[in-house]
Amino acid sequence: MREKVLILDFGSQTCQLIARRVRELGVYCEIVPHDISADKVSQAAPVAIILSGGPASVRADESPSMDAAILEMDIPVLGICYGMQLLGQLLGGVVEKHTGGEYGPATLLVDKPDELFADLENRLDVWMSHGDLVRELPDGFETLAHTDDCHVAAMGNAGKKIYGVQFHPEVVHTTRGKEILRNFLFRVAGCSGGWTMAGFIAEEVARIKETVGDGHVICGLSGGVDSSVTAALLNRAIGERMHAVFVDNGLLRAGEVEQIERYFQHDFPLNMQTVDARKEFLDALVGVTDPERKRKIIGKVFIDVFSRTAKGLGKIDFLAQGTLYPDVIESVSASGGPSATIKSHHNVGGLPDELGFKLIEPLRELFKDEVRRLGAELGLPANLVNRQPFPGPGLAVRIIGEVTEERLEILRAADLIVQQEMENWEGYDEIWQSFAVLLPVKSVGVMGDERTYANVAAVRVVTSLDAMTADWARLPHDLLGRLSARIINEAHGVNRVVYDISSKPPSTIEWE
Ligand code: XMP
């Protein structure tokens, strides 16, 4: 059985960050709701448990708690922030409101290194964010560290292997946070590590082989990272019995079809076919200007084309999807309530049930950065695994107003220039997305001695961590100048370029 850590989610925004840190240390972990029963924990047989932070106060009525029997199971536990206060309360200590609270950077003074702070300095930069504190320790616990504002900033019961830290070791501002987590996992809990992408591939290939047997799998290949890695993994497991279908909807960027075909027919050959459905999509979009209608139409035509292709392939048993871990975590709402909403993922969403596919989702345990590492480990080209996200409805949501062949041509030419210039810029790796948008506005210009009345293009370049929030990129003026000059000169039909300086929120990344 795979070595596993469970992270009990008390609604902290950094819960996923804890999980990523643990995995970066080579230990597999899963996020579970805070009210998981002791029985379920026993079935999962974790080597350690981490209690996340959370926005509530343990002193409030109905604040999220946990099955206290879990603390009697001889499993090492680390409570972080709210998690430490909960340990304090459940084990018989006293938790009080902290007058004024403690937010932001603080200096941690280690009083007793114990295993948790072994081999670390006794003054550490940490990041705090708490309104309560542990005033009196539970029996059997010792204070391991304090700050000026918090006399129990870390506590431990070495015999029971239960520890609590008031600060957040998972954030980068706690400079030695990763070492503290490493100490907990390896010294306290005795983890052996070894969760690697190579190991994951071996396990997952075996699992896919067993699930699929001698059946056949269809996989919608969009050219994005998730579907590409899904297809590559299936290819490793079942070879030709994986049928990757790449639908050319006519809404792709310049050279994209050729690029995807080069990747998957030559560089990393797998059983893929391109379905040319350009006319079908563009015909369905005639006269449509409303963004949501565009999306609906594109989604529906995709399903028609994909279903038809699947039928044409003969007997297909499974549909593979690139669902990722953040989409399947039962998340706890920010108020701390156990809302347990599971987001459904719709890569190839809404396929009719009568097709009778069973679903396989080989990436459902992974975070995005792990998917990229998996892709690299499988041998996919670096520029494929590091690709920027591209929306399913493609250029249709970057042409504001009606989508026509002529406007697609103009946008493709402008967008290609943005891609080229951005890729040549040294700051490109910091960019989340960079693209052009064609506006439904014409403006007056002058070229040579001629008056022009032509299109306006916007350039959108953003930085982001997860697309939930984003900021416009502060590009150097000479790069902006080059983008503008080249688009006006080379993308015929554009005589004015504007740069989008809106952040998300209140704007969104895409214009539609
Ligand atoms: P917004 O515009 O909502 O975009 O800030 C957030 C991220 O999602 C992408 N996006 C889409 N992806 N289908 C997709 O597959 C869509 O309809 C869609 N709309 C936006 C967008 O490119 C950004 O990465």
Side-chain angles (χ1 to χ4, degrees), residues 1-4 26-28 30 193-211 233 236-237 362 365-366 374 378:
M1 195 165 174
R2 190 198 272 169
E3 177 180 85
K4 181 194 295 180
V27 178
Y28 178 73
E30 285 176 8
W195 156 254
T196 61
M197 279 307 138
F200 176 83
I201 293 171
E203 269 178 36
E204 202 52 40
V205 162
R207 185 149 74 180
I208 293 169
K209 279 186 172 154
E210 194 187 316
T211 312
L233 191 56
R236 173 78 65 98
E365 290 172 345
L366 304 183
L374 173 61
L378 284 165

Side-chain angles (χ1 to χ4, degrees), residues 295 389-393 397-398 432-433 435 467-468 504 507-512:
R295 280 195 171 77
F390 183 65
V397 290
R398 294 179 180 171
W432 174 265
Q433 271 173 298
F435 54 87
M468 300 298 288
K504 172 183 179 175
S507 302
T508 49
I509 295 176
E510 304 289 346
W511 277 47
E512 282 199 337

